[in-house]
Amino acid sequence: MKIGHEELTGYLERLQKPRPEEIMKLEAYAEAHGVPIMEPTGIEALLQLLSLKNPKKILEIGTAIGYSAIRMALKLPEAEIFTIERDENRYHEAIQNIQSFQLENRIHVFFGDALEASAAVQSMAPYDALFIDAAKGQYQKFFSLYEQMLADDGIIFTDNVLFKGLVAGDHSQIESKRIKKLVSKIDDYNHWLMEHPDYETTILPVGDGLAVSKKEVKRI
């Protein structure tokens, strides 16, 4: 008997340790208000990989209400997180949430478009890890712009690269033109990532799809 993706995901979520009450409140708020945050299996995979890397400075593209930044800061008590958000309301919500966890000394939020805020972010480089979780149609631009600010052994994570499984299916069957265009862009990004000469990438089918890109070691 073959088990479906939903059954596997549900099983893995049931295995996870209970999250702190305040974190679960953030998750409930996000669900009630339609705020996109990482799926449970995706965020846990990200946090585990970050723990192995143990970065001291993380750059996040796409703060939303601060959920991922807060989770990263709680998991990595020695890390500083620098994160960018262009939506003013979510920017202020993120600031409030970060303060409620007393993490304002380690999570620094930039307000602005990530494609235009590179100068301010550059001043804090290099970063040990980059997490891309913003406008999906701009992933390649984000990657190209900010990978230049990585440390030599830096690592890049990109969320939502499977986009509800639609990327792997027949794009012609997608009725919405907007969704079809977005899925095509993500698919193009995935191929571009896998063929990038300077990075080795693995795509993990956890959450909504997590790409892990590590700078390739050049051997002479």
Side-chain angles (χ1 to χ4, degrees):
M1 181 178 66
K2 188 175 182 179
I3 302 298
H5 176 73
E6 290 185 4
E7 288 83 0
L8 285 175
T9 299
Y11 172 75
L12 293 175
E13 289 181 5
R14 291 192 297 273
L15 286 177
Q16 292 176 2
K17 294 180 180 178
R19 298 176 293 286
E21 183 179 352
E22 293 304 311
I23 290 296
M24 295 184 70
K25 285 181 180 179
L26 266 187
E27 294 170 350
Y29 177 89
E31 183 176 1
H33 293 83
V35 180
I37 62 173
M38 288 192 78
E39 294 183 15
T41 55
I43 186 69
E44 294 299 335
L46 173 66
L47 295 176
Q48 183 78 325
L49 291 169
L50 284 171
S51 295
L52 295 172
K53 172 68 176 172
N54 195 29
K56 296 299 184 288
K57 293 174 71 175
I58 302 170
L59 174 60
E60 176 187 49
I61 312 301
T63 316
I65 57 173
Y67 174 77
S68 296
I70 290 169
R71 294 294 307 271
M72 288 188 285
L74 293 176
K75 183 71 173 182
L76 303 161
E78 296 182 0
E80 278 190 285
I81 293 91
F82 300 82
T83 179
I84 308 172
E85 177 56 48
R86 69 177 182 179
D87 184 283
E88 187 171 1
N89 290 331
R90 287 184 178 172
Y91 166 79
H92 290 297
E93 284 186 291
I95 294 293
Q96 291 178 350
N97 290 329
I98 290 164
Q99 290 175 343
S100 72
F101 280 85
Q102 299 181 335
L103 292 170
E104 60 269 27
N105 290 332
R106 292 200 294 118
I107 302 178
H108 315 282
V109 188
F110 296 96
F111 174 59
D113 190 310
L115 295 177
E116 301 171 357
S118 58
V121 180
Q122 174 72 54
S123 65
M124 306 307 298
Y127 300 95
D128 304 303
L130 168 63
F131 176 45
I132 302 174
D133 190 20
K136 300 169 189 61
Q138 304 294 336
Y139 274 180
Q140 187 171 330
K141 290 182 180 179
F142 292 145
F143 189 107
S144 297
L145 181 62
Y146 287 104
E147 66 96 8
Q148 304 172 51
M149 302 181 194
L150 279 181
D152 289 340
D153 61 345
I155 189 168
I156 300 175
F157 301 94
T158 312
D159 193 28
N160 304 119
V161 295
L162 296 181
F163 197 58
K164 309 179 190 307
L166 294 175
V167 175
D170 183 355
H171 300 180
S172 66
Q173 299 300 311
I174 302 173
E175 295 183 1
S176 168
K177 290 183 178 179
R178 184 183 67 84
I179 297 298
K180 183 184 295 185
K181 184 177 180 181
L182 182 57
V183 167
S184 179
K185 283 190 174 184
I186 297 172
D187 187 31
D188 289 344
Y189 174 72
N190 290 342
H191 282 86
W192 177 81
L193 264 186
M194 300 302 289
E195 296 166 6
H196 199 298
D198 299 325
Y199 287 84
E200 294 179 311
T201 295
T202 297
I203 294 178
L204 305 177
V206 294
D208 201 26
L210 182 68
V212 184
S213 305
K214 183 77 173 63
K215 280 192 175 182
E216 190 174 28
V217 178
K218 304 293 184 181
R219 293 182 173 86
I220 300 176

